[in-house]
Amino acid sequence: DQLSSAAIVAVTKSGTNEFHGELFGTYSSDGMRSATPSEEAAGHKVSSKDKEFGFAFGGPILQDKMHFFVTYEGKRYSQPVAVTYANTPPAAIIAALPASVQSQVGPSSIPFTEKLVFGKLDYEPTENDRFELSLKTRQEDSAGNGAGPGQAASTTVTTRNTDYRYDLRWQHTADHWVNEAVIGT
């Protein structure tokens, strides 16, 4: 394929002739962690929460012929950071800064959300033919990127990443060969 970097090929899960599913979740918050050095100096913790959750479910549509599989994963993070001066200025310069600027130094947090969805429909009309339709979506939002030494959360960039992918695949096998056609976006 004339690649100049690594190529990764992955096989995704499919539905089966029985319904199967799973559910998961994790949770953590600032009440479950120690204060950061910045929070100790300020005398308070910033609110932070880490949540990951999701499910997977698959099964038959037509026994031995058509199956489905769908999965969802969500993440909600609020990561603590310490906003500091880039180079510690003399106390007289710090005192001359407006209160609105001085209040942004100390503990802060960076929120992040992510939604991942994968769905797949497979159909095998004959033992030599297989059709697959799959959908993958990724939506990520992060505010406060770059907050930390020399940069307050109010001056940071909000990042949004949205990616949708659709693939239609047909595989035909014979005695000693496999033919595959793929259309994707």
Side-chain angles (χ1 to χ4, degrees), residues 1 10-11 17 25 58 66 74 80 86 101 103 132 140 164-165 170 179:
D1 286 336
V11 175
N17 280 327
M66 184 180 277
V101 173
S103 69
E132 292 179 0
E140 298 172 324
Y164 298 99
R165 295 178 185 244
W170 168 51
N179 193 16

Side-chain angles (χ1 to χ4, degrees), residues 113-127:
T113 62
E114 180 179 63
K115 297 175 191 173
L116 305 173
V117 176
F118 174 77
K120 183 175 181 180
L121 184 65
D122 59 77
Y123 176 56
E124 296 181 9
T126 70
E127 64 180 44

Side-chain angles (χ1 to χ4, degrees), residues 13-16 18-24 54-60 68-71:
K13 196 170 186 178
S14 291
T16 65
E18 296 178 14
F19 290 103
H20 292 281
E22 55 190 62
L23 185 64
F24 73 91
F55 71 89
F57 186 65
F68 74 94
F69 177 75
V70 64
T71 185

Side-chain angles (χ1 to χ4, degrees), residues 1-182:
D1 286 336
Q2 300 178 9
L3 297 173
S4 61
S5 61
I8 298 172
V9 176
V11 175
T12 57
K13 196 170 186 178
S14 291
T16 65
N17 280 327
E18 296 178 14
F19 290 103
H20 292 281
E22 55 190 62
L23 185 64
F24 73 91
T26 62
Y27 176 82
S28 181
S29 73
D30 52 275
M32 300 176 182
R33 66 171 175 82
S34 298
T36 66
S38 162
E39 292 170 328
E40 286 179 3
H44 72 281
K45 285 187 196 179
V46 294
S47 176
S48 65
K49 294 181 180 166
D50 293 348
K51 300 180 217 175
E52 289 188 43
F53 48 90
F55 71 89
F57 186 65
I61 296 174
L62 297 171
Q63 199 77 4
D64 297 323
K65 294 283 184 187
M66 184 180 277
H67 307 92
F68 74 94
F69 177 75
V70 64
T71 185
Y72 170 84
E73 182 177 341
K75 295 179 184 172
R76 309 287 182 270
Y77 295 146
S78 183
Q79 178 184 4
V81 295
V83 176
T84 60
Y85 296 105
N87 298 311
T88 306
I93 292 176
I94 293 174
L97 292 173
S100 62
V101 173
Q102 290 184 34
S103 69
Q104 294 186 52
V105 175
S108 186
S109 63
I110 299 173
F112 172 79
T113 62
E114 180 179 63
K115 297 175 191 173
L116 305 173
V117 176
F118 174 77
K120 183 175 181 180
L121 184 65
D122 59 77
Y123 176 56
E124 296 181 9
T126 70
E127 64 180 44
N128 295 339
D129 293 292
R130 178 179 178 89
F131 295 91
E132 292 179 0
L133 176 64
S134 64
L135 155 75
K136 298 169 227 142
T137 68
R138 172 183 222 105
Q139 296 175 321
E140 298 172 324
D141 292 313
S142 181
N145 288 334
Q151 188 167 357
S154 65
T155 65
T156 59
V157 175
T158 297
T159 304
R160 287 202 163 85
N161 177 30
T162 304
D163 185 29
Y164 298 99
R165 295 178 185 244
Y166 307 93
D167 289 324
L168 177 60
R169 177 183 314 255
W170 168 51
Q171 290 179 325
H172 180 78
T173 58
D175 293 331
H176 300 291
W177 56 273
V178 174
N179 193 16
E180 180 176 72
V182 180

